[in-house]
Amino acid sequence: MSLTYTAGSLVAARGREWVVLPESASDMLVLRPLGGSEDDIAAVFPAFEDVRPAEFAAPSPSDLGDQRAAGLLRTALRIGFRSGAGPFRSLASIAVEPRAYQLVPLLMALRQRTVRLLISDDVGIGKTVEAGLIAKELLAQGEATRLAVLCAPALAEQWQGELREKFGIDAELVLASTVTRLERGLELGQSLFDKHAYTIISTDFIKSTRHREDFVRNCPDLVIVDEAHSCVAADDAGQGAASSSSAPSNQLRYELLRRISADADRHLLLLTATPHSGKESAFRNLLGLVRPELATLNLETPSGRASLAEYFVARKRADIRTYLTKEDGLSDDSLAERTAFPSDRWTKDEPYKLSPAYRALLDDAIAYARDRVQAAGEQGRREARVAWWSVIALLRSMVSSPAAAAQTLKTRSESAAARTAQEADVLGAPVAADSAENDRLEGMDVAPGAAESEEASARLLELSQRAAELVGPAEDAKLKALTKHVKSLLAEGYHPIVFCRYIPTAEYLATQLDGKLGKKTKIAAVTGTLSPQQRLERIEQLAAESAEEAGDAAVRRVLIATDCLSEGVNLQHHFDAVVHYDLVWNPTRHDQREGRVDRYGQKRDQVRVITMFGEDNGIDGKVLEVLFAKHRQIKKDLGISVSVPDETASGVTDAVVEWLLLHGRQGSQEGLFEVDSHQESFDRIEREWSSAAEREKTSQSKYAQRSIHPEEVAREVAAVRAALGGADEVRGFALEALRDLDALVRDPRDESGDFTAQAGGAPAGLRDALAATLGGRLIEEDREIPFRTTPAIGRGEAALVRTDPAIGAIASYVLDSALDANTPGPRPARRCGVVTTDAVTIRTTLLLVRYRFHLTLPSRSGERQLVAEDARLLAYEGMPSRARWLDDDQAAALLSARAGANTHEQLARNQIGRALDGLADLAGHLTEYGTSLAAELDASHRRVRKANEEIVRGLKVVPQEPADVLGVYVYLPQQPASTVSGAEA
């Protein structure tokens, strides 16, 4: 007759010990190895295999370790946990240690039955991580089963990498370029979204009616929308050439999201750093996607703002630069977290003057443009608009570079294909203007055309030839000035990104700067000619090339890029300065460029920004004065950056170009503002922009995150750190364990925290385990294994995070060898130890105890039965029968105690023998502690979900008895051995 085993009990089978999981049945046991992970779960049939009850054996007094044994064993045990007993099921299985402030959206989400959030944290704070935390947790709890991320095509690969590397979510890319391949693998009648549980979908893909309808029918139960502000349109959208080209796309996406959000059971996360974009109606439409009633909420009342606060989080860097301090209402600063954002941007506008030959070329181009606009105006409305956009393209390319000018002058204008004036605006505006909308950046770095027919006119061809003759620093003063500025940045130790408007300009700079910045400077260009994945690869290649010579202080890297990199791609780890080679006609785009390096993770406290402008080209100076001066003044006065609406920027630049055509380069700037029509336009723009700034400023206080108090965050942060430890613990463990296991470790002790190890001298068991994760050849040839502090690693590298397979292999070996005294070779951790130290004044015993809990977790999809583990340190003074128990902090502090004297071997055996013999006297306290811990965990689950009575109803946390005593360590005061022995006899 077979025995019945309860969930959480221990059994012995297949030569090892296992924990019985709730999925077990009477004829089949679902088991997880003791200390193993979810990947090691196996099914065992008691009718065919030998299965018997098991008890966890007590440590052996003859197997003593040194002062580090307890710490190594504890960390090895905790690294093996993949699902803690606390309310956050996923934090043990992710490869990123979230900042405390990043837990706020997660806490907000767990208080909702159906998660609906608008996450509007500032650029660089980490919205992707915040969304990933929520997604991983909902999937781990079974609250969601499928996931879709909607984002711009250029950001798809980055989203894929973030989800895979940090959260272990392997999502399929659904792009215009991949959909054909993916559809070939479908069965008859099957949807892409049935076959692939996790997808990242480009907004381009959704534009297709067939694909859009398929997505709506088979939409996952969890959807994340990146840059959500581009998916709604204001109620007055479509007015003006600058906005008309984006309105249809915005409307399509808005209708799609309205249909998706209509399902009240679907989880929806909307991410954007600019929820308002200067349009109140667009903001209301965005809120309506979260919950329909929010669109009409009276946000002028405290009750209205309180209702919104449950679904909306918007924080600036200043809000969370220091967090969980006394200023946040906490009693002390023990959990204070200071986030290393750059404290400032050093900015400077650097002018340059055209060479005489370039000045003559520009004057002739302006004269041609003036003639062309005048002639077209007499031909009709369509011809006038075609000529207008062609002229803007010509002038912008002319002030960019000789290469861009030569290309534009002999290429047909995009607007020339238009049949009507309105169509000319739709075709011409996106190419000539500088939209701040991310989905319109892709493909916008192509040099525009200026010719209005298939064959460029003789006059344009002549100008093109003259432009081509001006390449190089002799006639291109702008290039010469750039060389000087970049050399200065390099000399001060910076690694700059040079942003250009057009592909020909970027390629021209890469060619011209090659060899001009020093032999130790590596240069690469990234433009829209590369796919998003190729762009990332080229950046990593540039970083790798300079890293190979990192020991040489003269090594620098320079990236030349178009705006295909100005949004979404994180560059803060490789670059720390920005040069705006081409002045963009919308200051928001400059903010986006600078935001690539000025964000969390930037090691520089001050990011350098240089804005180049032509003081005598008739365009840059006026744009800088009108648009950028106002933008900077608002930021200075209000402390926030307010986006410039596209139509506002276009209105200014249109007036500047009109003035240039009428008066040439020498027309005074004062005269520009004296023209009544222009002054009226500028006054209107001033009013609109100031109004938008005031609304944005008001919203910072009106919609500040108030639904989660810092004290609540602090409580959960403390619990998570107590259960799982931190990144520093993992790095320290890996270093110590590898050294103790006879690996050859090289730690440069630099700021990176990286180190390397060769495993050739390590035990065969560890080498085999590492070969399975890193590759057999790497281990066989005894090559260096790089251990990186970042989760983004290459093949043959290991990340210093608890979920990395190589770290898991090391932890498993340390744990297994500690539990098996017969393991050959070095054993870093032991289950017993005796240390003589000045850290104690009386005999103190530290216990490493593993508790198992049986959890019943209700959810909207039904109850889930889980078995979770927790490792705790308990310590007492004196003898077991008269134990005086220390608190948790005092117990943890013993791990850092260092031996002050040698302990006689026989004394050590006697002391540890007494401690082991007294374990029976401690059983009552261990059980009581387990019951108390279960009550704390139960309270924590209820606290986190306190706003959702349906989810906490039926919640249970029951400790499994008895607890496992993994380690016993005795600390003796540093005094004569006879005194110690006599005192405790």
Side-chain angles (χ1 to χ4, degrees), residues 47 258 291 331 381 443 457 462 491 545 646 678 771 940 974:
R258 282 214 305 182
R291 292 186 71 90
S331 59
R381 175 69 177 162
S457 69
E462 184 264 336
E545 288 175 354
D646 288 347
H678 292 165
S940 181
Q974 193 169 327

Side-chain angles (χ1 to χ4, degrees), residues 234-500:
D235 293 340
D236 59 349
Q239 298 177 7
S243 62
S244 62
S245 59
S246 63
S249 293
N250 285 14
Q251 195 63 35
L252 277 176
R253 288 193 289 269
Y254 181 48
E255 289 302 322
L256 171 69
L257 291 187
R258 282 214 305 182
R259 295 171 67 185
I260 291 173
S261 63
D263 184 344
D265 290 329
R266 178 169 290 120
H267 304 296
L268 182 64
L269 305 178
L270 303 180
L271 315 182
T272 173
T274 53
H276 293 83
S277 298
K279 298 281 189 178
E280 180 67 17
S281 60
F283 178 55
R284 291 286 183 167
N285 289 338
L286 199 58
L287 294 181
L289 293 175
V290 180
R291 292 186 71 90
E293 62 269 24
L294 297 181
T296 56
L297 203 62
N298 183 359
L299 299 178
E300 298 303 318
T301 65
S303 61
R305 293 193 291 272
S307 297
L308 177 61
E310 296 179 24
Y311 308 98
F312 182 40
V313 55
R315 298 166 294 180
K316 298 298 180 182
R317 293 185 185 186
D319 300 329
I320 46 88
R321 192 182 296 277
T322 57
Y323 191 52
L324 301 185
T325 65
K326 290 181 179 179
E327 294 181 2
D328 295 311
L330 273 66
S331 59
D332 56 49
D333 291 340
S334 60
L335 291 173
E337 185 176 78
R338 290 166 178 81
T339 303
F341 295 116
S343 63
D344 191 20
R345 291 184 195 175
W346 179 95
T347 61
K348 189 175 183 181
D349 298 331
E350 292 283 5
Y352 65 90
K353 285 190 175 182
L354 300 171
S355 67
Y358 213 124
R359 193 158 50 240
L361 173 65
L362 181 58
D363 285 339
D364 289 345
I366 293 172
Y368 164 82
R370 182 187 307 117
D371 294 344
R372 187 68 206 97
V373 169
Q374 290 174 351
E378 299 171 358
Q379 296 171 350
R381 175 69 177 162
R382 173 206 169 270
E383 288 74 13
R385 299 311 296 167
V386 170
W388 176 254
W389 296 120
S390 301
V391 162
I392 288 183
L394 165 64
L395 296 176
R396 298 210 61 188
S397 294
M398 191 68 68
V399 299
S400 177
S401 71
Q407 180 69 35
T408 291
L409 287 162
K410 59 186 179 184
T411 304
R412 190 182 187 215
S413 170
E414 286 76 4
S415 60
R419 291 168 294 183
T420 65
Q422 184 178 8
E423 191 176 341
D425 286 343
V426 171
L427 293 173
V431 178
D434 285 326
S435 172
E437 293 185 16
N438 305 328
D439 64 314
R440 295 170 63 191
L441 296 181
E442 195 66 23
M444 290 297 102
D445 55 359
V446 176
E452 296 171 34
S453 62
E454 292 292 346
E455 298 295 330
S457 69
R459 194 171 175 186
L460 287 181
L461 290 176
E462 184 264 336
L463 291 173
S464 175
Q465 185 175 351
R466 287 171 58 188
E469 293 171 355
L470 297 178
V471 300
E475 295 293 347
D476 187 357
K478 186 180 181 183
L479 169 65
K480 187 175 181 179
L482 173 70
T483 306
K484 181 186 73 171
H485 299 320
V486 172
K487 281 184 175 179
S488 176
L489 288 170
L490 296 176
E492 295 183 57
Y494 283 86
H495 302 277
I497 304 175
V498 180
F499 275 108
C500 310

Side-chain angles (χ1 to χ4, degrees), residues 107-232:
L107 287 167
M108 294 172 66
L110 293 180
R111 294 182 178 182
Q112 301 179 23
R113 181 181 183 277
T114 300
V115 178
R116 294 292 179 97
L117 286 179
L118 174 57
I119 302 175
S120 298
D121 285 340
D122 201 3
V123 173
I125 283 181
K127 292 184 292 296
T128 303
V129 170
E130 291 170 345
L133 285 170
I134 296 171
K136 183 68 174 179
E137 187 66 28
L138 292 178
L139 293 169
Q141 292 186 7
E143 294 286 345
T145 57
R146 296 186 297 143
L147 164 68
V149 177
L150 294 179
C151 65
L155 306 183
E157 280 87 353
Q158 180 162 306
W159 264 101
Q160 184 185 44
E162 290 278 302
L163 291 179
R164 180 179 59 244
E165 293 162 5
K166 294 180 179 178
F167 301 101
I169 300 173
D170 197 3
E172 189 71 53
L173 291 179
V174 183
L175 313 174
S177 59
T178 65
V179 65
T180 302
R181 172 181 59 82
L182 294 174
E183 288 181 335
R184 284 198 209 104
L186 299 178
E187 299 176 4
L188 186 63
Q190 187 179 31
S191 166
L192 274 175
F193 310 103
D194 284 334
K195 182 177 178 65
H196 304 287
Y198 311 136
T199 53
I200 298 169
I201 309 165
S202 82
T203 48
D204 278 357
F205 171 86
I206 294 298
K207 289 178 182 177
S208 160
T209 302
R210 179 172 68 88
H211 294 141
R212 187 167 62 250
E213 294 303 317
D214 182 30
F215 179 67
V216 171
R217 285 193 303 270
N218 301 281
C219 185
D221 48 7
L222 170 57
V223 176
I224 298 173
V225 183
D226 194 17
E227 303 298 342
H229 63 275
S230 68
C231 297
V232 295

Side-chain angles (χ1 to χ4, degrees), residues 541-587:
Q541 181 182 1
L542 174 63
E545 288 175 354
S546 55
E548 289 176 1
E549 303 176 36
D552 190 335
V555 172
R556 297 286 184 272
R557 52 184 169 269
V558 176
L559 179 66
I560 301 166
T562 62
D563 285 308
C564 70
L565 287 186
S566 70
E567 188 60 21
V569 180
N570 299 330
L571 302 171
Q572 71 273 24
H573 300 299
H574 304 314
F575 304 96
D576 45 26
V578 170
V579 178
H580 300 291
Y581 188 71
D582 288 333
L583 191 69
V584 182
W585 287 7
N586 190 329

